Amino acid sequence: MALRSAHELAGQLAKGAVTSEELVRRSLAHIKATEPRLNAFVTVMEEQALAAARESDKRRAAGQTLSPLDGIPVAIKDNMNTEGVRTTCSSRMLEQFVPPFSSTAVRKLQDAGLVVVGKTNLDEFAMGSSTENSAFGRSANPWDTDRVPGGSSGGSAVAVAGGQVPLALGSDTGGSIRQPASLCGIVGLKPTYGRVSRYGLVAFASSLDQIGPMTVDVEDAALLLGTVAGHDPLDSTSADVPVPDYAASLRSFDWKGRRVARPKEFFTGEGLDPEVARCADAFLEKLASLGAEIVDVSMPHLKYSISTFYIVATAEASSNLARYDGAQYGFRAAGTKNIIEMFSRTRAQGFGPEIKRRVMMGTHVLSAGYYDAYYNKAQKVRTLIKRDYDRALEKADLVAAPTSPFPAFLAGSRMDDPLAMYLCDVFTISLNLAGYCGLSLPSGFTEGGLPIGMQLMAGAFEEEKLLGAAWQLEQALGVAGSRAPEIAGASA
Ligand code: GLN
C-alpha cells in the first residue's frame, strides 16, 4: 500500500472508490512483503482485521459509518492491551500474555470503526530509544534498514513510514513517540498528560506516560487524536476537558503575530549534529517568513532533564514492574523450589538487561537512605523544569526545538553505552516532566537522505493550537508525506 494519508483514504472510502476490505488486504500484503526487512510488527491480526473490515463495509453500505475514519487500518504499539490478542511489551515476560480487556484508546478506535491490523514492536516495556531492546528482534528504519527507527515506539513509526498502515498509536514517556517519528520522517504527537486515557496501557512511568498518534501528516494526527482523546472514568488521571474538533480547526490558525520561543539550551551544545542544527535554523526562518516572531529565551533547568527523568521514571518503573513475578502475569520460571526462588528466577529469565538496570536504579533511588537525596530532589527539579516551560510560554505561544540531536543512527552503535542511548531524548524528555504537549514535524533531510524532525511544544490542553500551527507550517515546508525510498519499490 502506498504511503497515503488516512484522510485521503477516508475520502476514497466515502466515494465508494475502495472498500475497507481492499484497504486492509493491501495493508496486509504490504506488511507481508516488507516485514522481512522492517520487522515492525510483533503480531499481525490478519483474520480479525479482515472480519472488522467487512463489518465496516457493511455499515457503510447501510449508511451507518461510525466516524470519518471508519474502515481505515491502524497499528497499535504492543504495550496497549487488546482483548484476546497477545500484548507482549516486546518482553519474554509477556510473550504469551493475552489480556482479557482492551485499553480505552484501542476500544475508542474500534468504536469509531477503525480496523486494528496488528501490534507493533517496541523497546521492552517502552524503555529505550532505538527499538533494539526487543525480545523479538530490532525494527529497521525504512529510509535505511541498517539504521534504527528510534524508539521506543519504533515499530509504529516504521509501520507508518514504511507504508504498511496509514496510522498508528504510540506511547511517549520521555520522547518515544516524537523521537522515532523524527527519525522516520513522520508526524508524532505527545498529548498533554491526561488528554488520552492510560487505562490498559502497560505502565512504565505512570506520571509521564501518554498515548498519542503517529501519522503521515498533521491532519491525520488531528483526526486520530480526536478519536482517542477524552475523559475516562477508568483512568483517574485522565482530564475532564472537552475534546475540540481538532481536524476542523486546523486551517484557522494564523502564524502572523505569533511568538515562538527559541530556548538557547535546545539550539546549542556539542551533541547537536550540524545537519540538524542547519535544519533547525531553516525551520525558524520558515516560521519567521510566515509572520511569526522568534523570541530568544533561556530555560536554565533543562540541563537537569535527563538526570531528573532517570530518577523519576526508574522509581516509578521499579514499582510498576514489581507485578511481574510469575505469580499472576505471563512468564514463570520452571522448576523452582520456593516462592522467593520463583520470583527471582522469573525476573532473571523474563526481563532483558535494560529492564533489570532500570529496576535496580529505581529501587536504589527509592531506598530509605537515598530517597531524599535522589527521589525527593528530582521531584523538586521537575517543578523547576515545568516552571521554565511556564515562563517561556508566558513570552510565547509555542516553543520550538529539534526533536532529536541527530538523525537515525546505525543499529548496534549505541547498544553498549546506556548513557549514549539516554542522550537521544535530551530534547524531548523535559516536556514529559512538565506534562505539556508537543509534536514532531518532518522538516528536512540530511545530505545522505535521512529525515530530520523539528518539535513544536505548547501548554496544557493546547493541542488545537499546536496542530493548527503545525498544519500551516507543514504546508509551507512541504516535507511531510515523503516516501521512504528503501520500501517504495516493494509496494503491493
Ligand atoms: N528513551 C526513554 C527511555 O528509555 C523514553 C522512553 C519512552 O518515552 N517510553 O526511558
Side-chain angles (χ1 to χ4, degrees), residues 224-453:
L224 191 52
L225 180 64
T227 310
V228 294
H231 181 242
D232 178 10
L234 297 171
D235 171 7
S236 63
T237 64
S238 80
D240 201 355
V241 174
V243 181
D245 187 341
Y246 296 116
S249 58
L250 286 178
R251 288 159 180 80
S252 49
F253 182 90
D254 189 351
W255 273 106
K256 272 194 200 68
R258 297 287 187 154
R259 295 154 79 102
V260 182
R262 178 188 182 278
K264 68 168 189 283
E265 293 80 2
F266 278 136
F267 287 85
T268 47
E270 299 149 29
L272 189 60
D273 177 277
E275 291 192 283
V276 176
R278 269 201 295 282
C279 183
D281 290 341
F283 183 83
L284 293 172
E285 273 165 33
K286 186 59 88 180
L287 282 177
S289 77
L290 292 173
E293 185 192 338
I294 311 295
V295 189
D296 282 310
V297 302
S298 172
M299 297 173 66
H301 302 96
L302 287 182
K303 59 175 172 289
Y304 304 118
S305 307
I306 297 267
S307 7
T308 306
F309 176 89
Y310 279 94
I311 294 171
V312 174
T314 58
E316 294 184 18
S318 73
S319 161
N320 278 325
L321 270 59
R323 72 191 71 172
Y324 305 108
D325 52 15
Q328 296 188 68
Y329 301 92
F331 173 76
R332 177 186 295 176
T336 54
K337 289 192 288 295
N338 55 49
I339 195 159
I340 300 295
E341 198 182 296
M342 179 183 94
F343 284 3
S344 62
R345 285 235 217 129
T346 293
R347 288 171 176 154
Q349 294 168 24
F351 285 143
E354 184 60 27
I355 307 304
K356 290 175 187 162
R357 179 162 31 239
R358 305 278 179 118
V359 169
M360 282 193 277
M361 287 200 282
T363 308
H364 179 71
V365 300
L366 287 175
S367 60
Y370 293 97
Y371 186 93
D372 280 335
Y374 291 115
Y375 186 72
N376 246 349
K377 197 163 197 177
Q379 293 293 12
K380 290 179 188 157
V381 181
R382 181 174 185 175
T383 303
L384 296 174
I385 290 170
K386 182 169 182 291
R387 271 191 213 147
D388 278 359
Y389 273 95
D390 291 336
R391 292 215 179 94
L393 289 165
E394 271 164 26
K395 295 193 191 115
D397 299 285
L398 295 143
V399 177
T403 307
S404 160
F406 29 72
F409 47 94
L410 288 169
S413 63
R414 283 171 191 264
M415 278 303 270
D416 299 330
D417 184 351
L419 194 58
M421 193 66 92
Y422 297 172
L423 287 172
C424 295
D425 297 309
V426 64
F427 297 145
T428 47
I429 236 163
S430 55
L431 190 75
N432 300 74
L433 291 164
Y436 298 153
C437 59
L439 180 148
S440 178
L441 185 69
S443 301
F445 294 92
T446 64
E447 274 176 21
L450 295 172
I452 302 175

Side-chain angles (χ1 to χ4, degrees), residues 77 79 122-130 133 151-153 171-180 204-205 208-210 309-310 313-314 354 358 421-425 428-429 432:
K77 185 177 181 180
N79 62 349
L122 62 147
D123 287 297
E124 187 173 1
F125 284 101
M127 298 177 193
S129 302
S130 67
N133 294 331
S152 63
S153 314
S171 68
D172 191 313
T173 304
S176 278
I177 288 175
R178 291 161 289 155
Q179 185 257 11
F204 160 12
L208 300 158
D209 301 337
Q210 258 303 283
F309 176 89
Y310 279 94
T314 58
E354 184 60 27
R358 305 278 179 118
M421 193 66 92
Y422 297 172
L423 287 172
C424 295
D425 297 309
T428 47
I429 236 163
N432 300 74

